[in-house]
Amino acid sequence: MRILVIAMVIATPLVAIFGLRNDFLVFIAGIALIHMLWASGLNLLYGFTGLIPLTYAGIAGISAYMTVHLVMRLGLSFWLALPIGSAAAALVGLLLSLPAIRLRGFYFALSGMVIQSAFTIAFVYFPAYTNGDTGIASVPRPTGFDGGAIPSPYMECVLALFVIAAVAGIGLTMRSRFGRTLITIREDEDLARALGINVTLNRTAAFIISSFIAGLGGGLYAHYIGFASPRAFDVLISLNLWLMVAMGGRGTLVGPLLGALLLAPLPYLLVQYTWVKDVIYGVAIVLVTLFLPQGIYGFVLKRKART
Amino acid sequence: MLEENLLVVFSVITSGLLVGTIFSVVAAGLSLIHGTILLPQAANGQVFLGAGLLFWLFGTEWEWPLWLAVPTTFLIIGFLAFACEATILKRFYPLEDRNISYLIITLGIAQILSGIYTGTFGRISDTFQVTAPVNGFAIIEPVPIAYTRLIAFVLAGSVLGGLVAFLRLHRIGRALRAVFQNREAARLRGIDTLKIYRFAFLLGTAITTAGGILFALAFALDLTVGWTISLITFSIMIVGGPGSVVGALVVGLVFGFTQAIVSVFADPTVATFAYLLAMLAMLFIRPSGLFAK
Amino acid sequence: MLELQKLVIRYGDFLAVDGVDMTVKQGEIVGIIGPNGAGKTSLLNAAAGLVRPFSGSVRFGADLLEDATPDVRLAHGLVLVPEVRGVFPMMSVHENLLVGAYLCRSTQEVARRIERVHRLFPILKDRRAQMVGTMSGGQQQMVAIASGLMASPKLLMLDEPSIGLAPVIIKEIGRTLGRLRDEGLTILLSEQNAKLATAIADRIYVVQAGRIQMARTTESLLDDPKFVESFLSLS
């Protein structure tokens, strides 16, 4: 049943891709898929450890800039550069798990906001790698077996494969001992310690995996839209990725996919009025926190459980 | 040559004082709200910016007189703050760990406000320079200072002084501090904590508004100032200690001077970077800050 | 004066107080004695309005205090000095006293009350400018009691005033409470350490696991070897 729902959500952009044959809609479907990947990775942290990582977009940005640098300056193949960039992101994730050892709740989120702001400043002020506020344009599309850029709609299918792999991987992880351990830590940290669980180690592992997925999304994003700029990886993006997970339903596999599907296309549909997107996202953040803390899918599950 | 250096030193001192005092004002508002309600008001920079923009709109664009432009700005922001408290913030008062929900909500509100500014003011201009209500310079040997900046400095100092006096000497001010220091004992002394929460939010917002208007009087505004001010004032609050107005004052001045000194040699962003590092270090070493209990 | 009837207090699934009846008459000193977690603090908090009882009633004088908030009860003269930290540590002694009289808007009346409190605790007059957080535990407890008195109580409730204090200071607090009773104040006192309570109280309730085990006069309790053994010999 759950697999069916997941398949349906992931298939929605694919239907758009093959059914509508409209270049713009195909592009938006690709964007939604990348955000599904990001939201699923963020869910691993927020949904399964309860920490709100406002550094998430920054981590993705590091991988994006690194991948772009490796491909455009050093001439590496995208498919070699992407894992390197993502590994770098995972390494940064390891470092970012350090605050979580000492800080909880609000103070962890605040430290994330600070670190994310430092990332943004760094992206702007090291133009040798990032070209500053202007950003790097004409980033080439990922290449296929023939050495040329993968054309749409095949590229979107590749993105869908990434999403499916990530969701399957996270789903399996959650059923494993590791996943149950994470949930124990989230529900009651003291109890977890009393049970002899190494809280720090498990949480750090979650950070590394989640950051790796952020990195994958970052590299794919920059090369898919052909552009990398500091604004694409700032604190608002972190916040809005959090919103996708929270609105869809934290701690579930379907929730983040649903949230990304509903929210990610907005900025591209409102490209003439980006400020309207900010208002809509902001209102959604307030409403979700007030009225729908368990998210849409969590709400559906709860109602079903009641009947 | 020597004289030139002296001039630089003096201008650093004066601009450091002015910027630092305005930082202190805004950080004091933030710290007051956080200390009393456990509400980290991440939209405070947008409130600050909104105050400056409305002041510019009324006073400069529509050429209203000061006595109308300033109170109208306060009234509009006060009404919005009141509505926000009554519809949103109030719901979280019973929760112990409400500060995380508040951080997310106020970030959301910051995004809404920032979007609205872009969609409205952003279409008019990139920078917003308030027409000076008085022209000319005061010469404080050997540096000339624009009257507007001198006025902004004096007023910002008065806001801080008034706030400290209010918290020390007035019955309600003492009640605010009592709630911050010991919520339960405060309730047992007959202090209605919910009313104090609302009052603290409105007072903190009013102080932020005053900071925004004074900043607009002394410097030109642009739409990115909101986020920068949020970051700087959060750093000041964390380093100085949430709830401590004295902490906000001291650290605010230190940060202001840092900004002024760094601006002489390098990009002011380097200063922002330094604030962030200071805040991060403080979060790790002593989350209650330098000046709090 | 104070009447608790069939009071039940729950925190979620935890039953803290299980049907307690208790009365305090005008001019009495009444002690509540019991081990840690017996429900003493919950009883006093319910009387002061910090905790909402699950069922049962709290009556003060002629008034039924059903949903009254702490400030309303305070205005009626029902004052609680809470356990351990009833003070504001970053304020001076004087400011703590002023906050104690928060509901009183007449400066003359506040000045009168401060004078009275200074007569009771002369040390607070000498230390009026000192930051309370820098004082010793005993002095902080005096500030807490003094701050409670600033609200001009008819019934003063004290939650474990002797906890963590040296015997000399406990004796001094006992003397002060005796003097307050002589001035006509009614006092309800909860104590883990029975010594202070047995020294000054007229009547004592022994509370255990949320129920009243005994309700007797102090004299008859002190004749009971079982009580003396379980509550006085250890401490």
Side-chain angles (χ1 to χ4, degrees), chain B residues 37-70:
Chain B
I37 324 179
L38 287 185
L39 163 57
Q41 218 289 52
N44 79 324
Q46 303 299 330
V47 173
F48 171 95
L49 176 59
L53 290 175
L54 286 177
F55 178 57
W56 171 85
L57 179 73
F58 299 146
T60 301
E61 186 78 354
W62 293 352
E63 297 179 344
W64 291 4
L66 272 183
W67 60 264
L68 191 61
V70 173

Side-chain angles (χ1 to χ4, degrees), chain A residues 281-305:
Chain A
Y281 276 17
V283 169
I285 289 169
V286 174
L287 292 182
V288 166
T289 317
L290 276 180
F291 302 114
L292 211 62
Q294 73 278 65
I296 295 173
Y297 191 66
F299 180 73
V300 172
L301 285 184
K302 215 168 124 189
R303 286 201 63 175
K304 230 171 67 181

Side-chain angles (χ1 to χ4, degrees), chain B residues 22-97:
Chain B
I22 292 179
F23 282 177
S24 299
V25 167
V26 185
L30 176 70
S31 199
L32 186 80
I33 293 175
H34 183 76
T36 318
I37 324 179
L38 287 185
L39 163 57
Q41 218 289 52
N44 79 324
Q46 303 299 330
V47 173
F48 171 95
L49 176 59
L53 290 175
L54 286 177
F55 178 57
W56 171 85
L57 179 73
F58 299 146
T60 301
E61 186 78 354
W62 293 352
E63 297 179 344
W64 291 4
L66 272 183
W67 60 264
L68 191 61
V70 173
T72 313
T73 306
F74 271 100
L75 273 179
I76 291 177
I77 293 182
F79 172 75
L80 290 176
F82 183 81
C84 178
E85 197 272 346
T87 54
I88 300 172
L89 303 180
K90 215 173 158 182
R91 294 166 184 268
F92 292 89
Y93 290 160
L95 300 180
E96 287 277 326
D97 57 349

Side-chain angles (χ1 to χ4, degrees), chain A residues 102 106 114 125 240 275 278, chain B residues 40 104 111 115 231 269 279 284:
Chain A
R102 239 187 106 97
F106 160 65
V114 177
Y125 285 86
N240 295 336
W275 65 275
D278 279 334
Chain B
I104 295 295
Q111 192 171 8
L231 278 179
T269 313
M279 164 149 72
F284 275 98

Side-chain angles (χ1 to χ4, degrees), chain A residues 9-28:
Chain A
V9 175
I10 299 180
T12 313
L14 290 175
V15 169
I17 291 163
F18 289 103
L20 298 167
R21 300 206 162 275
N22 169 321
D23 284 350
F24 183 61
L25 287 178
V26 168
F27 174 71
I28 286 189

